[in-house]
Amino acid sequence: MTAHPETTGPADPARLDTERMHRIYRHLHANPELSMKEYATADFIEAELDDLDIAHFRCAGTGVVGVVHNGEGPVVAFRADTDALPIREETGLEYASEAVGTLDDGTEVPVMHGCGHDTHITSALTAARVLVSDLDAWSGTLVLVFQPGEETAVGARAMVDDGLWNRAPRPDVVLGQHVMSLPAGAVTVSHGAAMSMADSLKVTVYGRQAHGSQPQASVDPIVLGASIVTRLQTIVSRELDPRSPAVITCGTFHAGFKENIIPGKAEFTLNIRTFEPEVRDQVLAAVHRVITGEAAVSNAPEPLIEELYRFPQCYNDPDEAARVEAALRAGLGEDRVSEGVPDMGSEDFGELSETIDVPSVYWFFGGFDPVDGEPPSNHSPYFAPVMEPTLATGARAAITGILAYLGAGNDRSGD
Ligand code: ZN
Ligand code: ZN
């Protein structure tokens, strides 16, 4: 096996096919598709993998998995999510999206890569191109996981349920990355929690409908719901250890049709963010207790609490995170890489490793010109990563992270 000096290693910027990388990015950005409807995106990814002679299969409909066997060594899975969002793009970019899509309920909506998943696909495909062109620089097995449906928290689960790890080699580690509102060129890796878990609930509280002038004949679900919403805020402020972060947000509240009718029910939705499984259990138990307790003291029937969706833990195994961070520092430069803090957003990435009980590492890379003022956040209609050094950084970070395990000269005896 050839030992490559640092300057000519696979993560060298000169190895990237920049023109092709930019063409891929422009195409994907202009052609976004909604979650679990990434049909053309999957076709596009397959065509690129075909061009690289990488064997691939479909998983969960619009998921694509490419596998590169390259001799002895560990198995590394690298995941890129592929879906876009129902947002009307306002970036004014020459390659801005004018795409429309259809939500599950039939509503036609504008579609935009407002979370930057187009940079993830581009980085993964560019990294794959470099790695297959330099098979002497590494050995082992690379599994490229192009995952649909991240934004709706169903894609990772769908791939696992569709036999992902029976059909692809079972990895020793799962890697992933996300573009964020950080300066372009910067990479952050957290040790421990990378993103929060999320639980979304729909709550229906029932009362007794009556004339607005006759409260004695009613059980008022609006007063009940208001008490619940207020009291839920005491879970974080009065029940949790203040060193354990959590968020409980009531994002919608709907009840009634007319001011002189006390309605029969109220409906609201909750979004709950936590980092530690024990804290999650504690918060969810308290949420259920407050809702049913407030209903009981209001003399109301048992409320209905339904789970809308759940994002699992996105946890960086500290040893693996240290290994990847060291590789990124060496490959991208000390000044580009720092230890990050956990993000309050959520990801279904953890599902891919959690189900087979292997470690994972998930890092962030920046996408914005640091002198350009406050960058827009992910999911903003103005979310427009600068193409460079964003894409080169994403691709080089992917290559470097993968080679932290598969690169020539890595001591893998400890795995
Ligand atoms: Zn997103
Ligand atoms: Zn995202």
Side-chain angles (χ1 to χ4, degrees), residues 85 115 117 150-151 178 378-379:
L85 289 156
C115 203
H117 298 183
E150 185 280 325
E151 296 289 356
H178 206 300
N378 297 58
H379 293 203

Side-chain angles (χ1 to χ4, degrees), residues 315-396:
Y315 180 79
N316 284 348
D317 179 279
D319 290 344
E320 306 304 329
R323 177 181 189 142
V324 169
E325 187 187 332
L328 289 169
R329 284 180 186 277
L332 274 63
E334 281 288 340
D335 55 329
R336 295 294 186 90
V337 182
S338 56
E339 185 175 335
V341 291
D343 189 277
M344 222 60 214
S346 299
E347 248 292 349
D348 68 350
F349 168 76
E351 201 85 55
L352 299 173
S353 54
E354 209 175 82
T355 41
I356 48 170
D357 199 24
V358 298
S360 61
V361 184
Y362 188 83
W363 62 85
F364 299 121
F365 63 104
F368 292 86
D369 186 343
V371 297
D372 216 17
E374 188 69 23
S377 73
N378 297 58
H379 293 203
S380 154
Y382 303 100
F383 189 80
V386 292
M387 251 196 285
E388 291 305 342
T390 305
L391 295 174
T393 304
R396 293 175 65 211

